[in-house]
């Protein structure tokens, strides 16, 4: 049975954390623990495995980082600093950006205790990561594939003394996408360990959960609701040929909003961002086909409000803490309702309000019905002035025509030269290299 909230816990001290971590929380401005932290931390401090299902933006990272750091400090005090395992805890993440974010939170909490953390993700220099491992970090945050690269190829790297394993966004990690890498990892880490599974949406497939080798885990569901009450969710029905016009209309009407637009493919992020840029809407794409440096650059542009619209695939849907997101638009409806939960969870975080609008054409209605069934409620319609939307048709179609021509040209250049001119244009726009192009000046 899910554990009940302990109402008497009012502070991080009440959770049973050591003084050093209470001070670290205070220095970060964390005044009171969140609901998931109140639910999870006491059980973790008792040495229990956890399966935690909590809303996005609820403080999940702190819920597993705090007990791990508390255990590390306790290990030091009892057995001495030098006797502690070098690689004390491993946190696995399905995306590079989430791994980097988790590591930064560990480092912030452990800044006063000399904590060392290594991030092992694809898209980054493997030699630099090997150097990082050589500095004897206590915490490793990794994507499964790159972790296995190091276990197979980095001399002297082993996890045989590991004490803690965390699967963040566990439902994604336990899917078929990561099955082989995860099985290989389970085969080389100790069975005698603490294991935490955290996610905003958790699979009910018991066999999948059993793969993580949990031992009598405590099930924690910090909320019965899949989405927060401060999120205003709407759907907008339209014929498919007008979808781009509806997108432009909404972004124009909400011009002061920071918005994430979710698409199904990497190509669509590039096409839509170009269409929007041609219409003087400050947009930038982010997808798995971009280099890590470009992805980080795009996120930084969006966080700093230099760009108001981030056009993205589901690579940006999980775990990223971008407090300034005012609105999420589902340009393409996800076929898995759990992906919807993660997407709309990018807004209305930590008690803030937010808006989520899903553009639904005649071919996507079946998927949206599944989403409504999953979240347990019918969503109201967003009804713009249809005539005003149709007035945008000519401008939007011309912008789309020019964007398609540009992408076709760069695709041809890629085949001829083995490069990608479009990526170079994005790099200049992000300030990664070279001078700004017309693409960048449009902002």
């Amino acid at each position: 049975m899910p554990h009940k909230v302990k109402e008497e816990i009012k502070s991080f001290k009440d959770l049973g954390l050591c003084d050093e971590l209470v001070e670290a929380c205070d220095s970060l401005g964390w005044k009171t623990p969140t609901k998931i932290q109140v639910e999870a931390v006491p059980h973790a401090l008792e040495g229990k495995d956890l399966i935690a299902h909590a809303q996005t933006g609820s403080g999940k990272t702190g819920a597993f980082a705090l007990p791990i750091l508390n255990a590390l400090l306790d290990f030091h005090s009892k057995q001495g600093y030098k006797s502690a395992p070098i690689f004390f805890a491993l946190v696995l993440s399905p995306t590079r950006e989430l791994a980097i974010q988790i590591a930064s939170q560990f480092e912030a909490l452990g800044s006063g205790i000399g904590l060392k953390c290594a991030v092992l993700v694809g898209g980054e220099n493997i030699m630099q990561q090997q150097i990082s491992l050589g500095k004897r970090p206590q915490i490793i945050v990794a994507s499964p594939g790159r972790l296995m690269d190091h276990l197979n190829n980095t001399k002297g790297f082993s996890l045989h003394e590991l004490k803690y394993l965390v699967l963040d966004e566990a439902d994604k990690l336990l899917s078929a996408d990561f099955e082989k890498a995860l099985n290989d990892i389970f085969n080389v880490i100790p069975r005698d360990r603490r294991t935490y599974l955290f996610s905003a949406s958790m699979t009910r497939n018991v066999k999948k959960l059993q793969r993580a080798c949990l031992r009598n885990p405590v099930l924690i569901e910090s909320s019965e609701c899949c989405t927060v009450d401060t999120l205003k969710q709407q759907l907008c029905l339209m014929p498919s040929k007008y979808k781009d016009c509806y997108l432009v209309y909404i972004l124009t009407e909400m011009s002061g909003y920071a918005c994430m637009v979710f698409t199904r493919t990497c190509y669509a992020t590039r096409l839509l961002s170009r269409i929007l840029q041609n219409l003087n809407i400050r947009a930038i794409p982010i997808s798995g086909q971009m280099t890590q440096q470009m992805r980080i650059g795009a996120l930084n542009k969006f966080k700093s409000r230099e760009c108001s619209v981030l056009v993205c695939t589901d690579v940006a849907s999980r775990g990223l803490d971008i407090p300034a997101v005012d609105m999420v638009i589902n340009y393409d409806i996800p076929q898995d309702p759990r992906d919807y939960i993660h997407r709309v969870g990018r807004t209305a975080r930590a008690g803030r309000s937010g808006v989520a609008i899903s553009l639904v054409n005649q071919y996507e209605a079946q998927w949206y019905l599944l989403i409504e069934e999953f979240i347990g409620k019918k969503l109201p319609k967003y009804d713009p002035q249809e005539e005003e939307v149709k007035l945008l048709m000519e401008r939007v179609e011309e912008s789309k025509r020019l964007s398609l021509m540009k992408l076709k040209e760069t695709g041809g250049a890629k085949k001829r030269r083995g490069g990608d001119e479009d990526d170079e244009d994005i790099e200049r726009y992000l300030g990664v290299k070279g001078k700004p192009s017309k693409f960048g000046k449009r902002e």
Side-chain angles (χ1 to χ4, degrees):
M1 292 290 291
H3 175 65
K4 300 291 185 183
V5 177
K6 295 184 178 181
E7 298 291 347
E8 69 273 13
I9 294 178
K10 304 292 184 182
S11 68
F12 286 97
K13 184 70 174 176
D14 294 338
L15 288 176
L17 297 169
C18 63
D19 292 339
E20 293 95 328
L21 288 179
V22 173
E23 291 174 8
C25 292
D26 186 62
S27 67
L28 292 176
W30 297 5
K31 302 304 180 184
T32 56
T34 65
K35 189 175 181 181
I36 185 61
Q37 291 163 359
V38 169
E39 293 270 6
V41 172
H43 287 297
L45 293 179
E46 292 172 3
K48 296 178 181 177
D49 287 358
L50 303 178
I51 299 175
H53 176 197
Q55 296 165 342
T56 59
S58 61
K60 294 194 299 294
T61 304
F64 61 75
L66 288 169
I68 288 173
L69 294 179
N70 197 86
L72 179 62
L73 286 168
D74 186 56
F75 200 106
H76 287 169
S77 65
K78 290 179 179 179
Q79 302 190 36
Y81 182 83
K82 291 184 178 180
S83 64
I86 298 170
F87 308 121
F88 189 77
L90 168 66
V91 183
L92 292 176
S93 159
T95 68
R96 305 169 189 175
E97 289 77 16
L98 179 55
I100 293 167
Q101 184 174 289
I102 293 168
S104 68
Q105 192 135 93
F106 265 102
E107 289 168 347
L109 287 168
S111 60
I113 60 174
L115 183 76
K116 295 178 184 177
C117 189
V119 181
L120 310 180
V121 295
E124 296 289 344
N125 187 291
I126 197 165
M127 292 293 292
Q128 290 297 321
Q129 293 175 358
Q130 289 173 338
I131 292 171
S132 177
L133 290 173
K135 294 179 180 178
R136 303 168 65 88
Q138 299 98 336
I139 309 295
I140 295 175
V141 187
S143 56
R146 180 51 64 95
L147 179 67
M148 284 309 304
D149 287 344
H150 282 284
L151 286 169
N152 290 328
N153 302 309
T154 299
K155 187 177 180 180
F157 177 48
S158 167
L159 296 174
H160 66 275
E161 291 188 330
L162 191 75
K163 301 299 181 184
Y164 285 82
L165 171 67
V166 180
L167 272 62
D168 198 13
E169 304 299 342
D171 63 318
K172 181 66 174 176
L173 288 169
L174 291 167
S175 69
D177 295 345
F178 296 94
E179 184 170 4
K180 184 181 185 307
L182 215 58
N183 286 340
D184 290 341
I185 292 168
F186 289 149
N187 286 335
V188 297
I189 60 176
R191 286 184 173 271
D192 183 18
R193 63 169 193 270
R194 298 274 69 80
T195 305
Y196 304 153
L197 273 58
F198 277 76
S199 186
S201 61
M202 190 65 73
T203 177
R204 301 302 181 193
N205 189 325
V206 176
K207 289 183 178 179
K208 284 187 177 181
L209 298 179
Q210 287 175 341
R211 289 176 56 217
C213 303
L214 295 156
R215 295 184 299 181
N216 299 317
V218 176
L219 174 62
I220 298 169
E221 297 196 57
S222 73
S223 174
E224 297 177 359
C225 183
C226 292
T227 54
V228 295
D229 295 333
T230 54
L231 174 65
K232 181 181 180 181
Q233 302 175 75
Q234 296 174 294
L235 74 155
C236 183
L237 299 170
M238 84 288 292
S240 59
K241 68 177 181 178
Y242 291 121
K243 183 178 274 195
D244 293 336
C245 295
Y246 275 86
L247 174 65
V248 172
Y249 177 89
I250 293 170
L251 291 175
T252 303
E253 288 292 300
M254 311 285 196
S255 59
Y257 282 38
C259 177
M260 296 178 73
V261 178
F262 282 97
T263 69
R264 191 169 295 120
T265 67
C266 298
Y267 178 82
T269 65
R270 296 163 76 169
L271 175 60
L272 273 182
S273 61
R274 280 195 175 277
I275 291 172
L276 297 174
Q277 291 151 13
N278 290 336
L279 297 169
N280 295 316
I281 295 173
R282 297 174 300 161
I284 189 70
I286 183 171
S287 72
Q289 288 185 347
M290 294 166 61
T291 67
Q292 186 64 27
Q293 190 177 18
M294 290 164 63
R295 285 158 67 168
I296 292 172
L299 281 175
N300 289 339
K301 282 273 186 181
F302 184 64
K303 287 180 179 180
S304 67
R305 292 292 186 108
E306 290 183 58
C307 290
S308 58
V309 179
L310 187 69
V311 187
C312 46
T313 58
D314 282 317
V315 73
S317 70
R318 289 179 177 260
L320 295 185
D321 186 15
I322 310 174
V325 179
D326 303 308
M327 179 169 62
V328 166
I329 296 177
N330 285 303
Y331 179 85
D332 291 321
I333 302 301
Q335 297 180 36
D336 187 335
R338 288 176 296 180
D339 290 334
Y340 173 85
I341 299 299
H342 287 281
R343 288 181 180 187
V344 301
R346 298 310 95 212
T347 187
R349 296 174 69 82
R352 302 178 184 89
S353 61
V355 178
I357 300 175
S358 297
L359 307 183
V360 184
N361 65 29
Q362 65 269 36
Y363 307 112
E364 299 171 315
Q366 57 181 331
W367 297 328
Y368 204 83
L369 291 174
L370 290 175
I371 290 170
E372 288 186 324
E373 181 182 352
F374 187 77
I375 63 177
K377 58 184 175 183
K378 291 284 185 181
L379 298 184
K381 292 181 180 179
Y382 175 88
D383 286 320
Q385 295 295 320
E386 189 173 338
E387 292 305 314
E388 291 185 22
V389 175
K390 290 181 178 179
L391 287 174
L392 295 169
M393 189 72 174
E394 186 176 344
R395 290 179 58 217
V396 171
E397 284 300 304
E398 176 63 12
S399 176
K400 186 173 184 178
R401 184 184 68 81
L402 293 172
S403 300
L404 286 168
M405 284 177 59
K406 177 64 175 177
L407 289 178
K408 186 175 181 180
E409 290 171 5
T410 57
K414 182 176 181 179
K415 290 178 182 177
R416 290 191 302 271
R417 300 194 303 270
D420 194 333
E421 187 178 281
D422 191 52
D423 280 354
E424 291 175 3
D425 216 7
I426 296 171
E427 286 177 342
R428 286 192 291 271
Y429 179 63
L430 294 173
V432 174
K433 68 177 185 179
K435 297 180 180 179
S437 64
K438 292 178 181 178
F439 177 53
K441 288 180 179 177
R442 189 171 288 116
E443 194 181 275

